[in-house]
Amino acid sequence: MWTLMFIYILGQAISQISAEDNSTQMYYVKLKIDFSAIDNLTQLLKPFVNSTTPTVNNLQNTTTCKNVSGSMFLCTCKEDHRWSDEVCESHPDCCDKQNCTFSKQSDTCVSKNTVSVRGSIILKEANYSDCLAINTSESYQSCNDGLLTKMKTVYSTIKGFDSLTITKYRVGSVIADFEITYALKVEPQDLIEKSQNMSSTLESSCALETTGVVQLDMPHEPVPYNGEQNLRCSVQQTLDAAVTWQLKRNNRVFDILTGTESIVTTESLGSSISLRRTSELWAGEYTCVYSQETESCTLSHKASSVLDVCLKPNIYISTDPSFPHCRPGSELLNIRVRCEIGKSSEKYSVTWSSCSDTAIKPGSTKEADVYIAETVVRCSPIVPQLTCTFKNRCNQSTNASIDIQLIRENDKFCEAEGDWQKTKAGSTAKLRCKNKAGQRRRKCNNGTSEASWEPEVSECVNSDLNAVLFQANIVDIGLDSIHKNAAEVFSFLENATNNAETIDTFPNLNTSINVLFTLSHKILKQQDDVVDDLVGSSSNLLEKSLHDSWNTKADEGNTSLAERYLSSVEQLIHVTNITQGYEKKNVEVATDNCTNKSSCINKVFNTTVKLKGSNYGIVKTAAFKELQKYLPNNRDDYIPNSFVVSTTTERDLADSVEVEIKFELLQPRPRNVLMICVAWDNQTRGWSTHKCEWKWETDSEGVCVCEHLSSFAILMGKAPLEVRWSTEITYVGLSISVFSLTICLVIEMIVWSAMVKTSTSYFRHTAQVNICLCLLVADCCFLASSKPHDLSLIWCKTLVVLKHFFYLAMFFWMLWLSSTLLHQTVFLFHNMSKKTYLRLSILMGYMCPLIIVTATFLANKAGAEGHYYSKDTCWLVYNAPFQGSIHAFIIPVGTIAFFNMISMVVVILKLLDLPKNAAPACDKDKRAAVTVMRTVVLLTPIFGVTWIFGFAVTFLDLKFGAIAYFTNYVFILLNAFQGLYILLTIYLGDTMTREELLRRLKLKAPASTPDSCTDSSVKK
């Protein structure tokens, strides 16, 4: 029998000059001996050793071989031994076996306790620069031999030393890479002490990596998919070192940590990994590393092994044709079944089966991941079902089945159209997306007369986005830290969404938001290095060009895209350590440290958020453009008028908090339109006004004060607030006024000749006729425009011009009347000719209004809608105080009304200027009061003084509440019935006019009793 022996010979090595400890050197000897000669082995080996006093210890038999037939030998590794690396490379099948057959007997086993060390040492360039020379030069040989001797002097003193080789030199000072082999177990502490000694001697630093010190126990055979596996890394003694696990897969190295699919535990003599669900993600080369570090050296103890996992496929099964058509006379139909799987390294065995007696014949295809079978089915009532089954190396099976939907003779169907084949009515055709993930669906409707196609529904998702979602789902399984994985996902998502054109579909947008949604539920704390990508990708999803994709309705019962987006981004911002502001196109984030402040202020997109109080920690505020358009609006009467703004605090707030938000309004608030402050309520999935109040300031109308934190916005009413019954009162009043004014004009026609005998009466009645005429036409135009939406633009514009002109003309005639009355009151003996009076009155009464209306019309883009007039009201435009065409009416009217008030005051003062001793004191006071009241009643309607309330109506918005409503009612009652008031005060209330009217109507009038000089003065 040949016996191959691996012999440890301990003695003094001739290569060492001096050393404190004995050096060791390994010799490999192949002997053919009798077992009786083993005792004399030391003497027999002396001639082969360069030492005079060699000793042999730990003599072990490593390998035994015996001839089995001819030149073939059966060799066996002894206990605690394994086949050498050379054997594993030349005979891979033998590597994990104890016995193996070889064609020669020179293959040997080595100890499982063999330790290999690879390292590098950084030397001072001045001392070892020659080692960088050409390796054939004498300087190189001298430098290399010197360094090698010094290193062997140190490392050969460790028991079991076999060899030390310097493999190469590198630049970076001078770096020497080396390899050391020990045949016996090495104490890690010895190795690090020797390395420190060497570094001290050579004035260098080193880094070493060992294999063999740490043992890795794990399965060597393929393991089942979705199974549980335990891996253990052990050491012989306690190491004062940190242990880490790594997995190398597809040229990428992952750190293994405790996660949802792995549990890492560490003990004094080892570390273990428990895998809960083995899959392709956990297949690869595992490495266990214990790291030790000193001032000058680092030492890593490694053990590696490969875990092979049997895989299972995702199967997509289809038939060609999708819906076989049974035609008259065709009893049998040929069908091709196609099963597709993703790219996989697993070698599957594929079988086909049917629930009926249908025979299936496997076909062939040039596509590596597509399996095809052909079969024949009968046009019978039975629905055939075909199944393909994939079995992996661990005998685990995965199958997919499909029912063959036949189109029989009398069945309705949709004709082929484009990519879509014939489809049976009531069924849905499906196609895989090309170069994308997902599928396309299209239903064939079963109509009453014939079948018809519905629109196609695409679920196609860009491959890069689908890969990002996959990565998001596995950030916490235990491969690398959640922080590192999340940072990669955010980076990938930002890159995948930065081109809006490539993601402008609902499936792509939905997938992108699902990435954010998934991460928001997995991340508990995140560093700030992801914020730029987080804010960037969030901003990309709010591009205006994606509007249609956002508005695609989700399935009933599911939350909308906008809801998931808002909750996800809000949560991610909350858990991320953001220390500075970030601004992107559609998303802006601001922070403020409120630990030692009485209040915090953040500003985003010109919206200021003020949080009153202290001890909130970091307060973060985010604003989102466009999002307000996509969140479900549960308030049908309102529309969003601001960006959505979200605020969170670092510390949870036990009590309520006061938040003041000054929104920048997206559009100015129209007059009398109510706005409400709202916060998003996740429970009701809608906007809520709970503990939120709308306030306004002189410089901003978009101020909200809320008593809680949430996502806030401001909503604006779609229509202005209405004064209840105001329309009805107005139209009734105008109708009565029109009737009253008509009577006034009729009265003037009846009494004209009798009332204009003097110049004063002529002047007065001329003005009154024109005032009544202008007011009559203006009121008629107002009634004609009572339903603006029923009028065309040209008619609406025409009525606005007429109302503008005739109302102004009425006021200018009132101005002329008050001016005449004031002139006659102050200058009693100054007369004016009728001709001059008519010229001046027409000039003022009609030319001045005409100039104002014409100038206003031309200045507002030739009467353009929205500039000169509003189609919604058929009246002039009011934008804000001193903005809008309405001021071309308000300012003249206000000026005239103010002047008329002064005129009326002057008249009253003149009337009160009675002669002394004309009556007793009490009687005098009584007459004075009566005079004032009578004058006010008689002159107010004809002077248009009641229109002063119009200023209050114009500038007093209905947002002010009760006082604004009261003012509106007063204005409506006083001015809608103005024609009636003129009839009652100026015509029926005037004694001379009333007597003349009754005389003309041949009625006996009661005798008038003038009671004071006030009557004659007012009557003219």
Side-chain angles (χ1 to χ4, degrees), residues 854-899:
T854 302
T856 306
F857 187 87
L858 296 176
N860 287 278
K861 299 185 178 181
E865 195 273 331
H867 294 272
Y868 175 69
Y869 75 101
S870 170
K871 178 64 173 64
D872 294 332
T873 60
C874 273
W875 184 227
L876 302 175
V877 175
Y878 175 84
N879 296 323
F882 304 105
Q883 294 181 19
S885 60
I886 188 68
H887 293 87
F889 177 78
I890 293 175
I891 294 174
V893 168
T895 304
I896 293 171
F898 181 73
F899 180 83

Side-chain angles (χ1 to χ4, degrees), residues 265-290:
T265 56
T266 302
E267 303 166 356
S268 59
L269 295 178
S271 178
S272 300
I273 296 178
S274 295
L275 299 180
R276 298 174 177 173
R277 179 181 176 273
T278 53
S279 65
E280 62 272 12
L281 298 175
W282 295 103
E285 182 183 19
Y286 284 78
T287 301
C288 173
V289 183
Y290 280 85

